[in-house]
Structure formats: C-alpha cells, structure tokens
Amino acid sequence: MEATGIYWYTIYCELSKYYEIHLFNPSQVRGFAAVNVRGAKTDKIDAKTIAGMLRFGEAPKICYGDKMRLELKEYCRFRFKLISLMANLKKRLIRNIHLIFSGYDQLFSSIFIKTSIAILNEAPRPSDMLEMGEEKLYELMRKTSRNHFSPEKARELLEMAMDSISLDFIEEALLFEVESLLKLIEYIEGQIKKWKPGSWLRGKQ
C-alpha cells in the first residue's frame, strides 16, 4: 500500500495485525509509474504500480511498524511547526511594537528578553511607561533582569517614550494584538521547551 497523507495510518495499523504490509512512499510510486505507466493517474493504476514494484523488486520495503519511530516522527514534525509558528508570531509582534513605540527595539539586545517582555506586559505604550514613572519602571527592570540594568537604562527608555509619536487611529487594535501575541508566544515557548526529542528518547529507554 501507499502512504498517502494521513489516510494510511488506520488501515495500516489494523491490517498489520494479520498481514505483512509493504508500505511505499508516494514519491517511489510516482517514480516507478513515470517509467512504467503511461496515461492518467488513478487509484487502479496506482494499485497495479505497487503490485509491479513488489513483483520486480523496484523499491525497498519501508518499515513503519516501529511504534517509537512513528511517535518520534510525529513529535519532531509538530515541534518544527511550533518553532515555525513562533517565528511568525514574533515577526508580527516586532511589527506592532514598532508601530506603537518606534525605536523600542533599539533599547534592548532583543525585545524578547525577559525584562522587555515584562515591560510590554505592564506598559505596552509610551504613555503607559511615562505614567509608570522612572522609579517603578526601574524596579520592574531590576527584578526581571536580576540587577542587570541600571537606572540610566530606565531613564533612557522614558526619554525615548517622551519623544515618541502616538498612533491613535489603530492603537486599540495593535494593543489587542500585542496582548494576544505575548500570551501566545509565552505558551508556545513553554510547549517547545517542554518536549525535546533527546529527553523523550531517554524516557523511552
């Protein structure tokens, strides 16, 4: 049989209880068919193609019977998708922060460091930071960075906030997005850190 999309899993699982199943990658079937079959591609032609592959030994058997291997494959694919999703969410957040507070990203090595995220959660707009004041802002920075930042850094941030131009006409939508994005990024980062292929394999051994 051919491993097409997700549709082969159930039938493979059931039939493999009673029969030896030869499971072929769709690319193998396409390659064999291109050489040996002419005309339209149909399920009947695919079935004959697979039979021919078994008869003439044109392709090796692919074994998917190893449960651990299948699980690892699923985990790795999902983790890759989470990392890709995370990258897109971060790009969107950078874009929104640039619109709300232009220049904010220049004050930190990354807007995604712990201190920056804490500031954005507490005071995402320049006006929020100014309302917070230097003492409260520095205390937040000091706690989240473990004394890494000096009071001068908080002062520099407030000075930039004073010179910032507000973006009133889409500010509400941007703030809603920023709040949502911060929560999504935190959750997905947690899921990525929670599962790593190496730790999963050690747990199975």
Side-chain angles (χ1 to χ4, degrees):
M1 60 185 291
E2 182 181 22
T4 305
I6 62 171
Y7 304 106
W8 63 273
Y9 279 104
T10 306
I11 191 169
Y12 176 86
C13 183
E14 184 62 24
L15 290 178
S16 61
K17 296 175 184 177
Y18 312 102
Y19 306 101
E20 180 184 352
I21 308 297
H22 288 256
L23 188 65
F24 294 102
N25 189 295
S27 62
Q28 292 176 309
V29 178
R30 283 194 300 269
F32 185 88
V35 175
N36 297 278
V37 181
R38 296 292 181 266
K41 186 179 186 298
T42 66
D43 289 341
K44 287 185 178 180
I45 291 174
D46 283 349
K48 289 181 179 179
T49 301
I50 292 170
M53 293 169 75
L54 287 171
R55 180 182 175 190
F56 298 111
E58 292 291 339
K61 178 186 174 183
I62 300 175
C63 179
Y64 285 90
D66 186 344
K67 183 176 182 291
M68 184 183 292
R69 182 172 179 268
L70 280 175
E71 285 187 341
L72 182 61
K73 182 179 177 182
E74 286 294 312
Y75 275 126
C76 288
R77 281 183 173 178
F78 184 61
R79 190 172 190 272
F80 177 80
K81 287 184 182 295
L82 286 180
I83 292 171
S84 179
L85 175 60
M86 171 73 73
N88 289 330
L89 291 175
K90 285 186 173 182
K91 286 178 184 177
R92 184 70 181 184
L93 181 62
I94 291 170
R95 174 255 189 193
N96 287 357
I97 295 302
H98 182 74
L99 288 171
I100 294 172
F101 189 172
S102 179
Y104 177 84
D105 58 323
Q106 299 173 15
L107 293 170
F108 300 97
S109 58
S110 167
I111 71 168
F112 300 105
I113 63 173
K114 190 175 180 180
T115 301
S116 172
I117 292 296
I119 293 172
L120 293 176
N121 275 308
E122 289 287 329
R125 299 175 298 180
S127 58
D128 295 328
M129 295 178 199
L130 292 170
E131 187 177 335
M132 182 182 288
E134 183 178 332
E135 185 177 342
K136 191 174 179 181
L137 179 60
Y138 171 63
E139 183 62 18
L140 175 64
M141 295 173 70
R142 186 187 66 79
K143 284 183 178 179
T144 53
S145 69
R146 297 182 180 179
N147 296 311
H148 177 73
F149 291 108
S150 65
E152 286 73 24
K153 193 69 174 180
R155 201 169 299 123
E156 182 184 359
L157 184 57
L158 289 175
E159 287 174 358
M160 186 173 281
M162 289 179 66
D163 294 333
S164 178
I165 299 173
S166 61
L167 198 66
D168 296 333
F169 59 98
I170 57 170
E171 189 177 64
E172 280 191 38
L174 292 172
L175 289 172
F176 174 78
E177 275 196 48
V178 166
E179 182 182 359
S180 300
L181 288 167
L182 287 171
K183 290 177 181 177
L184 285 169
I185 289 169
E186 181 183 8
Y187 176 76
I188 294 173
E189 277 185 339
Q191 294 302 302
I192 292 171
K193 291 176 182 178
K194 184 179 178 181
W195 187 88
K196 293 181 180 179
S199 59
W200 181 83
L201 281 172
R202 286 193 294 273
K204 290 288 184 178
Q205 291 173 351

